[in-house]
Amino acid sequence: MPPHYAITGNIGSGKTTVCRIFERLGIPVYYADAAAKRLMLENDRLKKGLTAAFGANTYLPGGALNRSWLAEKAFSEDAALATLNGLVHPAVYRDADRWRNENSAAPYTLYESAIVFELGRENTFDATVVVSAPLKVRRQRVMIRDGATPEAFAARAAKQWPDPKKAAAADYLIENDGSRLLLPQVLRLHRRLSGE
């Protein structure tokens, strides 16, 4: 299997932008959050587990996930969130393993997730890449992108490690602060991860 690297960073850091550049370079990227949303709709084992844990209202009559209802239940207390994570994350990890096997011819693969360190998963990868940006820049990006209020941004950001802590834990750092060009940083890292 080729090396497998985690690419992470806080909300609004620009992880997706960086990942799109890697994809243009031919590197497969597994997007954990998108996979979780897909699996909650497609994976029967996960659907049964969510329904058993959170009740019949977890899914709407047509089969769609009742996202707002589930979020309200899961984020109301730490134990409920732990239950949700305990169901969703293992399903994502199994799916990511399957995906890695499908991409075994790549020089390396990337696993994109905002909460690699927060979940204690950093040691399951060959190395970690952190995309970093100052808090003020991230807040502005998220408010423009999502129409989020400063309070909504703060609530989401509070669930993630502070940028300096995340950057200090990284094996590789990409700084997306608006003053440094992204492409040269990604190209340098790509050469290094490819063993060039």
Side-chain angles (χ1 to χ4, degrees):
M1 291 293 283
H4 190 45
Y5 302 106
I7 185 161
T8 188
N10 286 333
I11 182 172
S13 63
K15 291 183 305 301
T16 302
T17 300
V18 170
C19 286
R20 298 292 186 228
I21 298 171
F22 277 108
E23 286 180 309
R24 294 293 298 266
L25 295 168
I27 301 304
V29 179
Y30 184 88
Y31 294 92
D33 189 50
K37 290 173 182 170
R38 173 178 53 79
L39 290 168
M40 285 192 279
L41 292 174
E42 297 176 358
N43 184 299
D44 288 335
R45 180 175 163 190
L46 178 56
K47 288 168 71 173
K48 286 176 185 169
L50 289 170
T51 303
F54 295 100
N57 289 335
T58 303
Y59 290 89
L60 298 170
L65 183 67
N66 192 347
R67 289 190 191 283
S68 58
W69 187 87
L70 181 59
E72 186 179 319
K73 295 285 270 186
F75 289 99
S76 63
E77 56 184 71
D78 290 343
L81 183 57
T83 298
L84 178 65
N85 287 339
L87 291 166
V88 174
H89 293 303
V92 170
Y93 303 148
R94 287 189 297 271
D95 188 64
D97 286 343
R98 175 202 53 77
W99 173 89
R100 276 189 76 198
N101 286 325
E102 291 174 359
N103 289 281
S104 60
Y108 62 91
T109 55
L110 293 171
Y111 179 97
E112 185 271 335
S113 172
I115 53 173
V116 171
F117 293 111
E118 291 84 345
L119 293 173
R121 295 273 301 162
E122 63 273 15
N123 293 326
T124 64
F125 299 95
D126 292 290
T128 56
V129 179
V130 167
V131 181
S132 180
L135 181 65
K136 182 179 177 181
V137 172
R138 294 191 298 108
R139 182 188 305 115
Q140 183 177 15
R141 286 175 183 160
V142 173
M143 288 172 64
I144 291 168
R145 180 189 74 196
D146 300 345
T149 64
E151 295 78 19
F153 169 81
R156 290 170 69 185
K159 297 191 183 305
Q160 300 175 333
W161 281 15
D163 277 290
K165 182 178 180 181
K166 202 166 268 192
D171 294 300
Y172 303 102
L173 183 64
I174 293 175
E175 297 187 69
N176 187 19
D177 56 9
S179 64
R180 294 175 184 86
L181 293 175
L182 269 183
L183 187 57
Q185 294 182 75
V186 174
L187 289 173
R188 272 194 304 273
L189 182 55
H190 172 64
R191 286 193 292 271
R192 189 160 185 182
L193 297 181
S194 298
E196 294 178 13

